[in-house]
Amino acid sequence: MPNWVASYGDPSGIPKFKEATANFLSKFLIKEEVNPESLAFSVGATSVIEMTAFLLGDPGDTAVIPAPSYPVYTGDIGVFPSIQRYDLQTHQKMEELNNGIPIHTDQLEQAKREIEAAGSRFRMVILTSPDNPTGAIYTEEQLRQLADWCISHQIHLVVNEIYGLTPINHRHPEIKDDYPNPIQFVSFGKIMAEYHSPFLHFWYSFSKDFGISGFRVGLLHSLNEDLIKAYRNIGLSHSISNYTQWVLAEVLNDLEFLEQYFSSFQKALTESYLIVSRTLKELSIPFNPSYGSLFIWMDLSEFLNEKSDSGEEELWLDIYQQTKILLTPTHGFGHQQKGLFRMVITSFDHSDLEIAMGRIKEYVLKKRNG
C-alpha cells in the first residue's frame, strides 16, 4: 500500500486516482482526451449532484429535467441546494420514444417563460443518457442543439452518463427489428471537448457500470475552472476514502481486465433484457426498446382501476403482493401519464429472472381472464 493512502490528500481526488480515471474515461466512455484537472470526485452520484447544484445555483432557482426521470433528483438538488425541479413533458405516449427522447428547444423556451413567470430563474438542464427509466439515449444532434441553446441563454447543461457503459446490444438478431432507426450513443464529453464552454458539464459514477454502489465514487467533469476550484474548496466533507481511490485506481489501470469485463457485462445485460422483453412481447405489453441502463419501462395501464397516483399505487402493491416482484411506478418520475412502471432487470441471475417473468405472465393472464 502506498504511503499516500494513509495520509490527507486533495479532497476532490488524489492525483493518481484522477489520472487513472481520466485515462479510463478517455479510452472507454468519452473517447476524447480528458484532463485529470477537469475532474472532481465525491462520495457517490448523490453527492456530486448535490454539490454541483449548490455551486451553480442559488436557492429558489430551477433545474429542468425531461420526464420521466430519476425520482431522487428532487432531493439531490432540493434538500441542501434548494433548487426546484421542473419536469419537462417531452411526450405523452410511450411510442413517441421510438426514435429517441423527443426534446427540442421550443420546449425549453416555454419552460423558461413559465419558470420566470413564477418568479424563479431557469438555471440548469439535467439530462441522463442512457436514461433512467426509459433506457433511451439522446442523439449527438440533440446534444449539440441543447448545448447551443443553453450556452446562448447562459444556462448550465449537465449530462449524467452513469449508465454510459451499460449498453444493450440492440443489433442482437432477436431484437434488432425493434430499432428501425438505431441511434448511436455519443458521450457528451466529446461535445464538451469541442465546445470548451463553462456552461457544459458531465456527471459519472462507478456505481452502475461497475456494480459497486457501496464504494460511493462519483465525479464531475467540467472545463469550467472556477467550478472545479469551488468544488475542491468545499469538498472536504464529501471526500472519498483514499483506500477506495487506491483500490479503484488499480482496477482502472488494468485495461485488459476492463476490456473483458465490459464485454461480459454487455452480453449478460443483453440476455437479461431478452428474457424480459420476450415475455412482454408474448403478453402484448407495450415497452420502450432500451439502448442501455438497468431497466425496462413498460405500460401496465390496462390494469389500472383508475388513472391516478392512488390507482398506480394500488396496482403496484397488488403486483407485489401477488408475485413478490417490486416494480417502480410512474409517480415520482414526474411524468403525467399513469400506469407506466420500471422494472430493474439486473438484480438476479438469469434463471431467477426467468422465474420472475413467469410470475408476471401468470399475474397478467389472471387479471385479463378475470
Side-chain angles (χ1 to χ4, degrees):
M1 183 187 298
N3 289 336
W4 62 260
V5 175
S7 304
Y8 289 120
D10 186 335
S12 69
I14 299 300
K16 288 187 179 299
F17 182 50
K18 286 185 176 181
E19 292 169 8
T21 303
N23 290 334
F24 158 73
L25 292 172
S26 301
K27 180 173 178 58
F28 289 95
L29 182 54
I30 294 177
K31 307 295 180 65
E32 294 281 346
E33 184 175 352
V34 175
N35 182 350
E37 295 305 310
S38 70
L39 303 178
F41 297 84
S42 55
V43 283
T46 292
S47 175
V48 171
I49 296 165
E50 179 184 85
M51 289 178 63
T52 305
F54 173 76
L55 291 168
L56 293 180
D58 293 324
D61 285 351
T62 297
V64 170
I65 306 175
S69 192
Y70 180 50
V72 188
Y73 276 141
T74 303
D76 292 347
I77 67 174
V79 174
F80 179 59
S82 298
I83 304 295
Q84 303 176 71
R85 171 175 177 164
Y86 179 105
D87 290 303
L88 185 67
Q89 306 297 315
T90 63
H91 63 282
Q92 291 299 321
K93 297 182 179 180
M94 184 176 291
E95 52 265 31
E96 295 178 66
L97 293 170
N98 287 348
N99 293 311
I101 300 171
I103 185 173
H104 48 80
T105 56
D106 289 348
Q107 296 167 335
L108 296 182
E109 292 282 2
Q110 178 62 29
K112 188 172 184 291
R113 288 191 291 269
E114 293 179 6
I115 289 166
E116 292 175 349
S120 180
R121 177 176 63 157
F122 185 167
R123 189 57 173 164
M124 303 170 62
V125 176
I126 299 174
L127 310 179
T128 307
S129 186
D131 183 48
N132 173 6
T134 65
I137 57 176
Y138 293 89
T139 67
E140 182 176 1
E141 181 182 4
Q142 283 180 310
L143 293 174
R144 290 182 180 277
Q145 289 175 349
L146 296 174
D148 289 337
W149 187 89
C150 286
I151 292 169
S152 68
H153 291 81
Q154 296 191 343
I155 290 171
H156 293 276
L157 172 59
V158 190
V159 179
N160 186 350
E161 294 187 6
I162 192 171
Y163 306 103
L165 293 170
T166 309
I168 304 293
N169 179 13
H170 61 273
R171 297 181 180 87
H172 189 284
E174 188 173 334
I175 57 174
K176 63 181 179 64
D177 291 342
D178 296 341
Y179 306 84
N181 301 300
I183 300 170
Q184 180 181 357
F185 174 81
V186 174
S187 173
F188 188 59
K190 176 184 177 182
I191 295 169
M192 286 173 54
E194 178 183 331
Y195 279 53
H196 212 94
S197 168
F199 291 99
L200 307 181
H201 318 284
F202 171 100
W203 286 332
Y204 186 72
S205 166
F206 293 92
S207 299
K208 312 303 181 185
D209 290 341
F210 285 78
I212 53 171
S213 55
F215 275 50
R216 310 305 304 144
V217 182
L219 67 88
L220 165 70
H221 166 45
S222 177
L223 302 180
N224 184 326
E225 294 180 3
D226 289 337
L227 174 59
I228 295 296
K229 181 179 178 180
Y231 203 105
R232 179 179 293 116
N233 287 342
I234 68 166
L236 186 59
S237 61
H238 295 256
S239 57
I240 304 165
S241 157
N242 286 2
Y243 182 81
T244 298
Q245 295 184 62
W246 170 59
V247 170
L248 194 50
E250 293 292 303
V251 175
L252 296 179
N253 286 326
D254 189 344
L255 299 182
E256 183 179 355
F257 163 74
L258 292 178
E259 293 277 8
Q260 294 172 354
Y261 168 74
F262 287 120
S263 175
S264 298
F265 190 162
Q266 185 185 39
K267 290 177 182 177
L269 177 66
T270 301
E271 180 59 29
S272 294
Y273 181 80
L274 292 172
I275 290 169
V276 175
S277 61
R278 281 184 202 124
T279 301
L280 297 182
K281 288 178 180 178
E282 180 184 351
L283 296 170
S284 298
I285 293 176
F287 67 95
N288 185 55
S290 176
Y291 281 91
S293 78
L294 314 178
F295 320 108
I296 279 187
W297 186 237
M298 56 186 175
D299 186 351
L300 300 179
S301 59
E302 68 172 287
F303 305 114
L304 291 175
N305 289 327
E306 62 176 54
K307 292 187 177 182
S308 64
D309 290 345
S310 60
E312 266 192 352
E313 185 171 348
E314 179 185 357
L315 177 58
W316 165 76
L317 187 59
D318 187 56
I319 292 172
Y320 175 70
Q321 290 174 334
Q322 299 299 322
T323 68
K324 298 300 182 241
I325 295 171
L326 189 63
L327 305 177
T328 311
T330 314
H331 181 62
F333 286 101
H335 199 259
Q336 292 175 347
Q337 187 177 352
K338 300 303 175 185
L340 305 181
F341 288 79
R342 184 189 75 174
M343 173 183 284
V344 181
I345 64 173
T346 56
S347 297
F348 307 101
D349 292 336
H350 293 142
S351 57
D352 293 333
L353 189 57
E354 294 274 14
I355 293 171
M357 296 314 298
R359 292 182 183 180
I360 287 288
K361 179 179 179 180
E362 183 180 352
Y363 176 86
V364 168
L365 295 178
K366 182 178 179 182
K367 292 283 285 188
R368 285 175 175 167
N369 294 330

